Amino acid sequence: MRGVTGRLMLLDTASLYFRAYFGVPDSVKAPDGTPVNAVRGLLDFIDRLVKDHRPDALVACMDADWRPQWRVDLIPSYKAHRVAEEHEVGPDEEVVPDTLSPQVPVIEAVLDALGIARVGVEGYEADDVIGTFTARAKGPVDIVTGDRDLYQLVDDARGIRVLYPLKGVGTLQLTDEAWLREKYGVDGRGYADLALLRGDPSDGLPGVPGIGEKTAAKLLTEFGDLAGIMAAVDDPKAKLTPTQRKRLDESRPYLAVAPTVVRVAGDVPLPDVDTALPHIPHDQAALKGLAERWGLGGSLQRLLTTLAV
């Protein structure tokens, strides 16, 4: 991770361009009439994030595989409802709005021409790339995502927080351990256990029947972590209701594999990239061509001005 000497900002890029796509009207178009609302919206997001938080380093983390086979092998329902088309080789195709898909290569080309580090690793989700950059970071880290799964990385002692967009990126929820404890009754480390016990229909995670968020938080407060809860299931003296004990016991096959699926990887083989925030574009000619071809106008100019400061 060359270039990281201070605050590192990690973008969950797909999460942000999805928000841009739905937040910016599709009347925002290139000269040929192609919608570029996700492209322009993402550039505006990055401009605001850099202005407001002044990171020293920035990485746009990508989903090289949004539904890795190693997760599906453990829990076949993982993100199954989002599959548009299955492929024998390579990642399955995700359900994505028709006018968003063509904008993704444009986003990638613009980020590359700007010189903003863009990292996706085959066989891993952006969450895993973020988890690995976070594990290796020497200084504070801001993770920008609309995905609550990444709350598991929050760590006050290391200065790791999640910036969760509430409205665009102008209004962000700064998620630290105090906020997590108040909202969920757990810290960052406990959030993954809470999530897998509770389940998550949006990710196809069944959870433990009858164990909702509040019950999961109480169990984690009482017994510490998932291992402590399962030890309590085997201890007749532990304070579990008969129903809780039965449901947790019956869920052992799921609970044996869920931690691997839910916890983000911290050991992804990252490429050697320069993560320093660029002050001048990496490829001025390419950027000029993209700006003209796609009508990036004020969105790109504002970001260039912000990066130059």
Side-chain angles (χ1 to χ4, degrees):
M1 281 198 313
R2 289 175 289 135
V4 183
T5 55
R7 181 171 296 278
L8 170 64
M9 178 173 280
L10 301 171
L11 307 182
D12 181 2
T13 313
S15 163
L16 295 178
Y17 67 60
F18 262 93
R19 281 181 177 249
Y21 175 80
F22 288 108
V24 178
D26 60 10
S27 56
V28 175
K29 294 180 177 176
D32 68 356
T34 306
V36 287
N37 52 331
V39 185
R40 299 267 308 246
L42 181 66
L43 292 174
D44 287 337
F45 280 0
I46 295 173
D47 174 56
R48 184 66 186 264
L49 287 164
V50 173
K51 261 189 192 133
D52 289 355
H53 300 281
R54 287 291 161 196
D56 301 290
L58 179 70
V59 183
C61 302
M62 313 296 290
D63 281 317
D65 190 340
W66 67 279
R67 188 175 180 246
Q69 190 59 45
W70 56 271
R71 283 192 166 105
V72 177
D73 289 343
L74 294 172
I75 299 180
S77 63
Y78 182 68
K79 295 187 178 179
H81 62 296
R82 295 197 221 164
V83 176
E85 189 178 335
E86 291 190 12
H87 296 303
E88 290 274 334
V89 179
D92 292 333
E93 212 167 298
E94 187 178 11
V95 177
V96 176
D98 290 346
T99 55
L100 173 56
S101 294
Q103 297 189 56
V104 177
V106 182
I107 287 167
E108 293 175 345
V110 172
L111 291 173
D112 291 350
L114 281 165
I116 290 174
R118 184 173 65 84
V119 179
V121 178
E122 189 176 343
Y124 293 96
E125 299 177 54
D127 286 11
D128 302 310
V129 174
I130 289 169
T132 304
F133 269 112
T134 301
R136 294 186 186 177
K138 300 284 193 289
V141 181
D142 283 340
I143 299 163
V144 189
T145 181
D147 183 355
R148 292 181 178 90
D149 291 343
L150 289 165
Y151 288 171
Q152 64 183 276
L153 296 174
V154 169
D155 184 340
D156 286 1
R158 292 190 56 213
I160 298 162
R161 60 186 185 171
V162 167
L163 308 182
Y164 185 91
L166 297 173
K167 189 176 180 184
V169 291
T171 308
L172 294 168
Q173 172 191 287
L174 269 57
T175 307
D176 57 11
E177 288 184 12
W179 189 91
L180 284 177
R181 285 193 204 94
E182 185 178 339
K183 175 77 173 172
Y184 298 106
V186 296
D187 58 12
R189 188 174 296 183
Y191 187 82
D193 284 347
L194 178 96
L196 65 88
L197 286 163
R198 173 196 64 197
D200 186 348
S202 69
D203 279 344
L205 296 171
V208 177
I211 305 286
E213 193 165 274
K214 287 183 179 175
T215 303
K218 281 180 185 171
L219 291 172
L220 289 165
T221 300
E222 179 79 24
F223 303 109
D225 56 14
L226 181 62
I229 291 169
M230 297 316 291
V233 173
D234 296 326
D235 178 3
K237 295 177 185 174
K239 293 178 184 176
L240 287 169
T241 69
T243 303
Q244 287 171 351
R245 194 182 300 274
K246 180 173 182 290
R247 284 177 168 163
L248 287 160
D249 187 49
E250 289 172 349
S251 297
R252 281 182 196 272
Y254 163 73
L255 292 171
V257 297
T260 305
V261 174
V262 173
R263 288 175 188 149
V264 301
D267 57 355
V268 173
L270 298 176
D272 182 27
V273 291
D274 184 359
T275 60
L277 196 68
H279 295 299
I280 55 170
H282 172 70
D283 189 335
Q284 188 78 55
L287 195 61
K288 186 170 183 280
L290 288 163
E292 290 171 1
R293 165 75 178 85
W294 299 106
L296 302 182
S299 298
L300 181 58
Q301 284 308 314
R302 283 189 294 275
L303 177 55
L304 286 170
T305 301
T306 299
L307 291 173
V309 173

Coordinates of all heavy atoms in Angstrom, one line a residue, residues 1 4 15 22 43 50 58 69 100 108 112 114-115 139 153-155 157 178 183 193-194 205 250 257 262 280 284 289:
M1 N 0.8 -1.2 0.0 CA 0.0 0.0 0.0 C 0.9 1.2 0.0 O 1.1 1.9 1.0 CB -0.9 0.0 1.2 CG -2.1 -0.9 1.2 SD -3.3 -0.4 2.4 CE -2.4 -0.2 3.9
V4 N 0.2 5.5 1.7 CA -0.6 5.7 2.9 C 0.3 6.1 4.1 O 1.1 5.4 4.6 CB -1.3 4.4 3.3 CG1 -2.2 4.7 4.5 CG2 -2.2 3.9 2.2
S15 N -21.7 0.2 -3.9 CA -22.7 0.7 -3.0 C -22.9 2.2 -3.3 O -24.1 2.7 -3.3 CB -22.2 0.5 -1.6 OG -22.9 1.3 -0.7
F22 N -29.7 5.9 -8.3 CA -31.1 6.1 -7.8 C -31.3 7.5 -7.3 O -32.5 7.9 -7.2 CB -31.4 5.1 -6.8 CG -31.6 3.7 -7.4 CD1 -30.7 2.7 -7.1 CD2 -32.7 3.4 -8.2 CE1 -30.9 1.4 -7.7 CE2 -32.9 2.1 -8.8 CZ -32.0 1.2 -8.5
L43 N -18.9 10.9 -9.2 CA -17.9 12.0 -9.1 C -18.3 13.1 -8.1 O -17.4 13.6 -7.4 CB -17.7 12.6 -10.5 CG -17.1 11.7 -11.6 CD1 -17.2 12.3 -13.0 CD2 -15.7 11.2 -11.2
V50 N -13.9 14.1 -0.4 CA -12.6 14.6 -0.3 C -12.6 16.0 0.3 O -11.7 16.3 1.1 CB -11.9 14.6 -1.7 CG1 -10.5 15.3 -1.7 CG2 -11.7 13.2 -2.2
L58 N -6.8 7.3 -1.0 CA -8.1 7.0 -1.4 C -8.1 5.7 -2.3 O -7.3 5.7 -3.2 CB -8.8 8.1 -2.2 CG -10.2 8.0 -2.7 CD1 -11.2 8.0 -1.5 CD2 -10.5 9.1 -3.7
Q69 N -17.8 -18.0 -5.1 CA -18.2 -19.4 -5.0 C -17.9 -20.0 -3.6 O -18.7 -20.8 -3.1 CB -17.5 -20.2 -6.1 CG -18.1 -21.6 -6.2 CD -19.6 -21.6 -6.6 OE1 -20.0 -20.9 -7.4 NE2 -20.3 -22.5 -5.9
L100 N -27.8 1.2 -15.8 CA -26.7 1.3 -14.9 C -25.5 0.5 -15.4 O -24.4 1.0 -15.4 CB -27.0 0.9 -13.5 CG -25.9 0.8 -12.5 CD1 -25.1 2.1 -12.4 CD2 -26.4 0.4 -11.1
E108 N -15.1 3.2 -14.3 CA -13.8 2.6 -14.1 C -12.8 3.3 -14.9 O -11.7 3.6 -14.4 CB -13.8 1.1 -14.5 CG -14.7 0.2 -13.5 CD -14.8 -1.2 -14.0 OE1 -14.5 -1.5 -15.2 OE2 -15.2 -2.0 -13.2
D112 N -9.6 5.5 -13.4 CA -8.2 5.2 -13.8 C -7.5 6.4 -14.4 O -6.3 6.7 -14.1 CB -8.2 4.1 -14.9 CG -8.6 2.7 -14.2 OD1 -8.7 2.7 -13.0 OD2 -8.9 1.8 -15.0
L114 N -8.1 9.6 -13.8 CA -7.9 10.5 -12.7 C -6.7 10.1 -11.9 O -6.0 10.9 -11.3 CB -9.1 10.6 -11.8 CG -10.3 11.4 -12.2 CD1 -11.5 11.1 -11.4 CD2 -10.0 12.9 -12.1
G115 N -6.4 8.8 -11.8 CA -5.3 8.3 -11.0 C -5.8 7.9 -9.6 O -4.9 7.7 -8.7
G139 N -2.6 3.8 9.8 CA -3.2 5.0 10.4 C -4.7 4.8 10.4 O -5.2 3.7 10.2
L153 N -16.0 -3.8 11.0 CA -14.6 -3.4 11.0 C -14.3 -2.2 11.9 O -13.2 -1.8 12.1 CB -14.2 -3.0 9.6 CG -14.2 -4.1 8.5 CD1 -14.0 -3.6 7.1 CD2 -13.2 -5.2 8.9
V154 N -15.4 -1.6 12.5 CA -15.3 -0.4 13.3 C -14.4 -0.7 14.5 O -14.6 -1.7 15.2 CB -16.6 0.1 13.8 CG1 -16.5 1.2 14.9 CG2 -17.4 0.7 12.6
D155 N -13.4 0.1 14.8 CA -12.5 -0.1 15.9 C -11.9 1.2 16.4 O -11.1 1.8 15.7 CB -11.3 -1.0 15.4 CG -10.3 -1.4 16.5 OD1 -10.3 -0.7 17.5 OD2 -9.6 -2.4 16.3
A157 N -10.0 2.0 18.8 CA -8.6 2.0 19.2 C -7.7 2.3 18.0 O -6.6 2.9 18.1 CB -8.2 0.7 19.9
A178 N -19.2 3.7 20.0 CA -20.2 4.3 20.9 C -21.6 4.2 20.2 O -22.6 3.9 20.8 CB -19.9 5.7 21.3
K183 N -26.9 1.7 19.3 CA -27.9 1.2 18.4 C -28.1 -0.3 18.5 O -29.3 -0.8 18.4 CB -27.4 1.5 17.0 CG -28.3 1.0 15.8 CD -29.5 1.8 15.6 CE -30.3 1.4 14.4 NZ -31.6 2.0 14.3
D193 N -21.2 -11.3 14.6 CA -21.9 -12.4 15.3 C -23.4 -12.0 15.4 O -24.3 -12.8 15.2 CB -21.4 -12.6 16.7 CG -20.0 -13.4 16.6 OD1 -19.7 -14.0 15.6 OD2 -19.3 -13.4 17.7
L194 N -23.7 -10.7 15.6 CA -25.1 -10.3 15.7 C -25.8 -10.5 14.3 O -26.9 -11.0 14.3 CB -25.1 -8.8 16.0 CG -26.5 -8.1 16.1 CD1 -27.0 -8.1 17.5 CD2 -26.5 -6.7 15.5
L205 N -29.1 -14.7 4.0 CA -28.6 -15.4 5.2 C -29.8 -15.7 6.1 O -30.5 -14.8 6.6 CB -27.6 -14.5 6.0 CG -26.3 -14.2 5.2 CD1 -25.5 -13.1 5.9 CD2 -25.5 -15.4 5.0
E250 N -30.3 -26.6 17.0 CA -30.8 -27.1 15.7 C -30.1 -26.3 14.5 O -30.0 -26.8 13.4 CB -32.3 -27.0 15.5 CG -33.1 -28.0 16.4 CD -34.6 -27.7 16.4 OE1 -35.0 -26.6 15.9 OE2 -35.3 -28.6 16.8
V257 N -20.7 -22.6 9.7 CA -20.2 -22.0 8.4 C -20.4 -20.5 8.3 O -19.7 -19.8 7.6 CB -20.7 -22.7 7.2 CG1 -20.3 -24.2 7.2 CG2 -22.2 -22.6 7.1
V262 N -20.0 -14.5 6.7 CA -20.4 -13.1 7.1 C -19.2 -12.2 7.4 O -19.2 -11.0 7.1 CB -21.3 -13.2 8.3 CG1 -21.6 -11.8 8.9 CG2 -22.6 -13.9 8.0
I280 N -3.0 15.7 -9.6 CA -3.2 16.0 -11.0 C -3.6 14.7 -11.7 O -3.2 13.6 -11.2 CB -1.9 16.5 -11.7 CG1 -0.7 15.6 -11.5 CG2 -1.6 17.9 -11.2 CD1 0.5 16.0 -12.3
Q284 N -4.2 12.8 -18.6 CA -4.9 14.0 -18.9 C -5.7 13.8 -20.3 O -6.8 14.2 -20.4 CB -4.0 15.2 -19.0 CG -4.7 16.5 -19.2 CD -5.3 17.1 -17.9 OE1 -4.5 17.2 -17.0 NE2 -6.5 17.4 -17.9
G289 N -10.8 13.1 -23.2 CA -11.7 12.3 -24.2 C -12.9 11.8 -23.5 O -14.0 11.9 -24.1

